[in-house]
Amino acid sequence: MDKQEETSIRKADHIDLAFSSQVAHNDLRFNYEPLLAGHPNTSLSPVEFLGKELRAPIWISSMTGGSAEGGRINQNLAKACKEFGLGMGLGSCRIILDDSTHLADFQMRKYIGDRPFYANLGIAQIEEVIEEGNIRNISEMMDRLDADGLIVHINPLQEWMQPEGDHIQHTPIDTIKRLIDLM
């Protein structure tokens, strides 16, 4: 089989997977094609997310942190989330796992109020923390942030291609299972 055939089969597999996937909840408020229609004639309504209310099912996530400018951006995003009733996820918190120097750039609870607020770590950092036996670092970081939970971003290809990227050793799903078991 030549390279074009392999690519063609892989692309067909992607389509098949998309069509065969199961969706637990189909939210028709987002059945909208911007190239082919005007704005929908519906309004966004409040939703509950893990025990907290959002005024709309919109989330600001995984933006920035770890610098004075990043801290200001996070503050502004958190204030907007509070004002408009949205949830927020931080950018990667790896910089504060072992060192509190930039902690203030991520401590947004006082700005976001009681809206959903989540910390964020990459799968490579999760893998490293587990392998070092330092799982408590994640819990302690989340406590310092007063975060409601943890977002785990999975971007192994991006990491692998970056000269400074972190390479993973295990499949991400196995690492996530281990994290859940250890938390």
Side-chain angles (χ1 to χ4, degrees):
M1 180 180 322
D2 69 4
K3 191 171 183 170
Q4 279 189 329
E5 273 184 332
E6 286 179 27
T7 300
S8 180
I9 290 170
R10 190 177 75 243
K11 296 297 182 184
D13 287 346
H14 292 176
I15 293 168
D16 289 343
L17 284 170
F19 278 120
S20 66
S21 69
Q22 295 180 1
V23 178
H25 177 71
N26 186 10
D27 191 337
L28 296 178
R29 293 175 297 174
F30 294 103
N31 187 8
Y32 173 62
E33 174 50 59
L35 291 175
L36 304 175
H39 286 113
N41 290 327
T42 59
S43 61
L44 296 176
S45 56
V47 296
E48 186 177 307
F49 180 75
L50 299 175
K52 295 200 174 192
E53 185 176 297
L54 298 168
R55 284 192 215 144
I58 298 174
W59 192 270
I60 296 175
S61 189
S62 307
M63 299 302 286
T64 189
S67 68
E69 185 178 12
R72 283 190 300 274
I73 291 168
N74 279 341
Q75 283 179 20
N76 289 332
L77 292 173
K79 289 174 184 177
C81 286
K82 182 178 182 179
E83 181 178 346
F84 295 103
L86 310 177
M88 180 177 177
L90 293 166
S92 178
C93 298
R94 70 187 290 178
I95 195 169
I96 61 170
L97 257 178
D98 301 313
D99 183 339
S100 295
T101 302
H102 296 283
L103 184 61
D105 298 331
F106 295 89
Q107 290 178 313
M108 298 297 124
R109 177 57 74 191
K110 62 186 170 190
Y111 302 107
I112 195 170
D114 66 347
R115 299 296 174 201
F117 176 62
Y118 282 68
N120 178 332
L121 287 172
I123 195 71
Q125 285 73 52
I126 300 291
E127 185 178 272
E128 183 179 301
V129 166
I130 291 171
E131 288 178 6
E132 292 174 353
N134 292 329
I135 197 73
R136 73 183 181 292
N137 287 7
I138 295 173
S139 297
E140 290 170 1
M141 176 196 72
M142 290 175 55
D143 288 344
R144 288 190 312 267
L145 295 172
D146 195 15
D148 295 310
L150 179 68
I151 296 169
V152 178
H153 67 267
I154 302 169
N155 56 349
L157 182 60
Q158 177 186 341
E159 292 284 354
W160 183 73
M161 295 181 78
Q162 295 178 70
E164 72 282 1
D166 295 310
H167 295 209
I168 61 172
Q169 304 301 312
H170 307 284
T171 59
I173 192 71
D174 290 337
T175 300
I176 291 171
K177 286 177 185 176
R178 288 181 67 199
L179 173 66
I180 291 168
D181 289 343
L182 293 169
M183 295 293 284

